[in-house]
Amino acid sequence: MHLSSSFGCPPPERLQRLLKDVEDGNARILLLPCCYDGLTARLVSLGGFNATFMTGFGVSGVNGYPDTQLISFDEMVKAATTVAEGLASAALEKAKYGEGDSSKEAVAIPCIADGDTGYGNAVNCKRTVFGYARAGMAGIMIEDQVAPKRCGHVAGKSVVPFDDAVKRVKAACDARDEYEALFGKGTGPLILARTDSLVTDGFEDAIQRCIAFRNAGCDMTFLEAPQSIEQMKEYCKRVSGPKLANMLEYGNTPILPPAELEKMGYTMAAYPLTLL
């Protein structure tokens, strides 16, 4: 139902429609098995999922590095391009053999890509959004860690000050709008704003950052590494708009069934390690 309503529209608009369906109660929580190359992108699409997430953890891992931002902006854009090609080839395959939607039109599922810290200052962040958009990504995640960042579930993280974090997200939102002004309605990648400040500055600071990110114009929020079900519920209660749960095996966040996450108020659930 969701993909058939998305024919003829760009990836960000397709993602927006999926999120709206969940927010309006017309669809279940959006499950995002994470991919990191063309093969894993094809596996997610051929597995029947409606969307995916390009994980920086995975892209780093398949290149032989830990998730400590040793992979450059250019390498991440190339990975995003490969993911987009994999999703397109899977869509063509499903259409050719009559799988998926009965109209047999080829529609690639949308992908949100990990943009880390934006790879520099606000101007770099805007360039990152444009690069990912040209690669075919439907959304981009921008976070508030100090560069070089690291996996959100390990020790030693640090975040930029509150105001700097909001400026970074605002720059990404401005780039989204500028891209859409240049290339048409629905082409600007949706902005997923992430905070890692729970561990460094406390739960209340993380909540206030998410609220400020929404006020700055982001489309979705992601409070990384909540440590209890109570924190997850409070986040969903106090922050508006689509929200992402990170179901990381061996991480700090409780692993919960999709139905329970949906009941809390989460819109999406990502699974970054499963295909690794």
Side-chain angles (χ1 to χ4, degrees), residues 110-128:
C111 179
I112 303 171
D114 190 348
D116 289 327
T117 61
Y119 301 98
N121 62 18
V123 176
N124 296 104
C125 186
K126 294 179 74 170
R127 179 171 181 255
T128 298

Side-chain angles (χ1 to χ4, degrees), residues 40-106:
T40 51
R42 282 178 53 81
L43 288 172
V44 173
S45 178
L46 295 175
F49 294 94
N50 282 343
T52 185
F53 188 107
M54 188 187 83
T55 162
F57 186 106
V59 175
S60 297
V62 297
N63 281 280
Y65 296 106
D67 186 17
T68 51
Q69 208 172 0
L70 293 172
I71 300 297
S72 68
F73 163 71
D74 186 58
E75 290 171 301
M76 288 294 287
V77 170
K78 288 179 180 177
T81 301
T82 302
V83 164
E85 290 173 351
L87 295 175
S89 69
L92 289 169
E93 184 176 322
K94 288 191 290 185
K96 179 178 180 180
Y97 295 106
E99 300 177 18
D101 189 81
S102 59
S103 70
K104 299 184 180 180
E105 293 191 46

Side-chain angles (χ1 to χ4, degrees), residues 41 88 96 102 125 182 192 205 227 230 236:
K96 179 178 180 180
S102 59
C125 186
L182 286 170
L192 171 60
D205 181 84
Q227 299 170 345
E230 289 71 25
C236 290

Side-chain angles (χ1 to χ4, degrees), residues 124-163:
N124 296 104
C125 186
K126 294 179 74 170
R127 179 171 181 255
T128 298
V129 172
F130 267 66
Y132 280 43
R134 286 192 294 266
M137 297 294 97
I140 177 172
M141 182 174 74
I142 297 294
E143 64 187 74
D144 60 1
Q145 281 198 52
V146 172
K149 55 89 60 176
R150 60 181 63 196
C151 172
H153 289 255
V154 300
K157 294 191 299 180
S158 58
V159 296
V160 298
F162 189 102
D163 290 344

